[in-house]
Amino acid sequence: MKADLWVFGYGSLIWNPEFDVAERVIAALPGYDRTFCMRSVHHRGTEAAPGLVLALDRTDGTLCTGLALRARRGTEAATLAMLRARELVSSAYLERQVTLALGDGRRVTAVAYVVDRNHVQYTGKLELEEQAQIIARSVGGRGPNSEYLFNTTAHLAELGIHDPDLQWLAMRVRHIRGLPA
């Protein structure tokens, strides 16, 4: 029997996976941090005015909590093809196999997209205020950068996943854009 295809969602894959998901489970990935450390020149910004998107950045002693998404059996090849077209559009992400600790006690191997620290789109750790200013003004092929932030923050909160930096960014970007809190 073929192994299940699990995908780790830590940003937009949580709320917009774009594949047939058979199972969703809260999951933790040790040694990675969810951070706005990648310039977006396609989806949430442009070459002339890059936005920022979340990436998994290898950081010892950290733990990223997100969702393990299991693709419906029989859709594995199509799911991987779609994910590669979406996530590897500029080669700033690297596709990796990672081990996730699921909230129900299982451990699974999953596909995850982590930032390539040697890629030109990698920003390193920007100050939160700088992130907020970029996110507040950027727009790309998939819409405003702020929409990406707001959707991710709202869906993490619905799942009970606390991310203080994202919560602060959402509040600050709303303020910059003159939106209600």
Side-chain angles (χ1 to χ4, degrees):
M1 184 171 113
K2 196 161 120 179
D4 287 328
L5 173 62
W6 287 91
V7 179
F8 185 55
Y10 55 89
S12 64
L13 284 172
I14 291 173
W15 48 270
N16 187 24
E18 296 182 332
F19 64 91
D20 191 0
V21 177
E23 184 178 3
R24 291 172 168 79
V25 184
I26 300 288
L29 176 61
Y32 287 89
D33 202 10
R34 171 188 19 251
T35 181
F36 278 103
C37 66
M38 190 172 98
R39 289 181 188 87
S40 178
V41 297
H42 295 99
H43 299 316
R44 298 297 173 169
T46 63
E47 290 277 349
L52 290 173
V53 289
L54 292 165
L56 290 172
D57 197 5
R58 186 101 177 112
T59 311
D60 290 338
T62 60
L63 182 76
C64 180
T65 304
L67 272 185
L69 306 164
R70 183 174 58 80
R72 187 156 316 280
R73 289 190 178 110
T75 68
E76 295 88 355
T79 296
L80 275 175
M82 180 285 300
L83 286 169
R84 288 170 177 158
R86 170 181 163 164
E87 303 296 331
L88 303 178
V89 65
S90 68
S91 303
Y93 285 124
L94 302 170
E95 185 178 281
R96 294 289 184 250
Q97 296 288 317
V98 298
T99 301
L100 300 177
L102 303 188
D104 61 13
R106 291 179 288 168
R107 294 181 72 76
V108 298
T109 298
V111 171
Y113 294 93
V114 303
V115 70
D116 179 352
R117 285 184 167 187
N118 296 314
H119 197 278
V120 67
Q121 286 174 249
Y122 179 66
T123 66
K125 187 156 179 69
L126 300 175
E127 293 296 322
L128 287 175
E129 180 62 28
E130 184 178 358
Q131 293 176 42
Q133 294 295 328
I134 293 167
I135 292 167
R137 71 171 189 272
S138 300
V139 178
R142 288 186 178 240
N145 206 168
S146 58
E147 175 186 81
Y148 172 88
L149 168 65
F150 298 154
N151 276 329
T152 302
T153 305
H155 283 84
L156 287 172
E158 284 174 15
L159 294 167
I161 299 171
H162 183 67
D163 190 314
D165 285 351
L166 264 60
Q167 291 171 334
W168 185 91
L169 281 168
M171 182 183 67
R172 181 67 180 128
V173 168
R174 281 189 191 343
H175 177 77
I176 293 167
R177 297 199 53 182
L179 302 171

